[in-house]
Amino acid sequence: MLKFSKQGDYGLVLMVALAEQFPTGQWISLSDIAKEKNISYLFLTQIIRPLKKEKLVEAKEGISGGYRLTKEPSAITVGSILRSIIGNVEPSTCTTSDKTCERQDSCPAVSVWQAIQQKVDDVLDNTTLQNLLDTAKTAKRIA
C-alpha cells in the first residue's frame, strides 16, 4: 500500500485552510487552524516550515500576523506541497533516481513500479490546491 505520512495529510489540510482565506488576503494563525481542524499546533509548526522555505506560504509576525499563500490556489499543485513536506513520493526503491537497488536494471517488476510512479506523479502534478478547495466546498454544502 502506498501510504503518505500524517505530515503530508495535515499539510494538505493546512494548505486548504489557507486557500480558503486567499481571496480576502487575510492572515490566519496556525493556532486558529489547529483549533478548527483539531491538529496539534506544534505539529503544524513543523509542517509550515518547509512550505515557507519553498515559498508556498509567507509569514507575518505580530498580533495581526499569521500565514497566507504566496500565489493563487490554482497555481499550487498537490505535488509541490507534498514534495516540500515529505520529499519525493515513491512507491518503491526501483523508482528512485539514485539507483539504490542493485537489481533495478534487471528486475522484472521495475516496469510496474515505474508505471505506478508515473500515475502518482500525474495525479500529484495535475491536482491543484484549488481542486482540493472546490472539493472541500462541495463536501460542506452536502453535509
Side-chain angles (χ1 to χ4, degrees), residues 18 21 25-33 41 48 52 58-69:
L18 293 174
Q21 299 301 318
Q26 288 183 325
W27 298 91
I28 184 167
S29 73
L30 284 185
S31 60
D32 287 346
I33 295 171
Y41 170 79
I48 200 83
K52 189 176 162 192
E58 60 184 337
K60 178 182 173 187
E61 293 186 24
I63 206 130
S64 62
Y67 293 88
R68 69 181 181 190
L69 300 179

Side-chain angles (χ1 to χ4, degrees), residues 81-101:
I81 296 167
L82 291 177
R83 289 182 190 105
S84 72
I85 297 169
I86 62 175
N88 286 333
V89 178
E90 298 165 336
S92 170
T93 57
C94 292
T95 59
T96 62
S97 58
D98 61 3
K99 299 219 180 226
T100 55
C101 178

Side-chain angles (χ1 to χ4, degrees), residues 30 40-50:
L30 284 185
S40 161
Y41 170 79
L42 291 174
F43 198 46
L44 287 180
T45 62
Q46 294 171 4
I47 294 169
I48 200 83
R49 282 187 206 122

Side-chain angles (χ1 to χ4, degrees), residues 5-17:
S5 69
K6 280 221 184 275
Q7 286 178 315
D9 184 30
Y10 289 166
L12 294 177
V13 171
L14 168 63
M15 292 295 282
V16 168

